[in-house]
Amino acid sequence: MCVKGLYFLTVLSGLAASGVLQVSGMHIYTSGDMEAVNGTDVRLKCTFQSSATINPNAIVISWSFRPLKPGREESVFHYQQRPYPPVEGIFRKRVSWAGDVMGRDASIILQQVKFTYNGTYICQVKNPPDVHGTVGEIRLRVVTTASFSELLLLALAIGGGIAAVVILLIIIMSCRRCKKRRQREHEGNEEAPRKERKDPTVCHPSRAIHLYMSQTSIEIDSSDGMISDPSTKSMSSSEEEGPSSDEEEEEDDSDWKM
């Protein structure tokens, strides 16, 4: 008997390892407890895992609602090949499909939630032949204002976005300033050699003899009192003739004394 039992266990193990025997069952995952502000939209997330291949023509998704107060369970949403929103009840025109069957997502969106939406939402998925398994539940609480944690997260998100924009602007302005500074330095380096260049038409003052202004003198002949033609002398020639006239006067004086 022991040998037969061991043989049977060995066969079962081999079949399971080869994939002949598969453990069937649908596993559904939800976000658990949620909180939403009155009048806002909220996404009820529901994902699933099935042991069978996803068949979009056969898969069935259903959402139902169980209120906090004693009352009957109400249908919220149904999907079979296409979405079927509710046509009556408190969820009429307040539910939209937000899932993807092939992506194993069965989420929905509640629009403009009200306080009457407080309660438990149940997500069920059937993918034949995988029709048995767990169900997902979400406990929704509708509040007047957001909680401190949500406000803190919102403030951090807004502050982080503003800080990122400010840092980006600072980086852009710094890059522009550096670019302008480099352009100025480059222009200054180009202008420096230009200032050092000499004008080829300008010469040294000692060599600019031809630029000296000429002097015009009028000579009077003492013998007949007639004015002779003006003679033009340059500064250099007047300087050279100056000493000769003095010598002539000295000679005249010496002759007079004699």
Side-chain angles (χ1 to χ4, degrees), residues 218-229:
I218 300 174
E219 296 180 356
I220 301 174
D221 192 358
S222 58
S223 61
D224 54 0
M226 297 296 293
I227 298 175
S228 61
D229 295 332

Side-chain angles (χ1 to χ4, degrees), residues 30 44-46 61-65 74-79 97 106-108 121-124 136 138:
T30 57
L44 303 182
K45 186 177 181 180
C46 176
I61 300 171
S62 61
W63 282 85
S64 58
F65 169 68
E74 184 175 351
S75 176
V76 177
F77 190 84
H78 184 78
Y79 181 95
W97 173 247
S107 303
I108 60 174
Y121 293 82
I122 302 167
C123 175
Q124 293 181 328
I138 298 176

Side-chain angles (χ1 to χ4, degrees), residues 143-176:
V143 296
T144 305
T145 57
S147 62
F148 177 76
S149 59
E150 291 182 351
L151 291 176
L152 180 61
L153 291 175
L154 181 61
L156 290 175
I158 295 174
I162 294 174
V165 172
V166 171
I167 293 173
L168 182 61
L169 290 175
I170 291 173
I171 293 173
I172 293 174
M173 294 300 294
S174 300
C175 292
R176 288 183 178 179

Side-chain angles (χ1 to χ4, degrees), residues 183-203:
Q183 289 179 352
R184 290 176 182 175
E185 292 178 355
H186 184 67
E187 291 176 357
N189 293 334
E190 289 183 351
E191 290 178 358
R194 292 178 183 175
K195 293 180 180 179
E196 294 178 357
R197 292 176 182 174
K198 296 181 180 180
D199 189 353
T201 61
V202 178
C203 58

Side-chain angles (χ1 to χ4, degrees), residues 233-246:
K233 298 181 180 179
S234 62
M235 295 288 292
S236 59
S237 61
S238 62
E239 289 178 357
E240 292 176 355
E241 293 177 356
S244 60
S245 60
D246 293 339

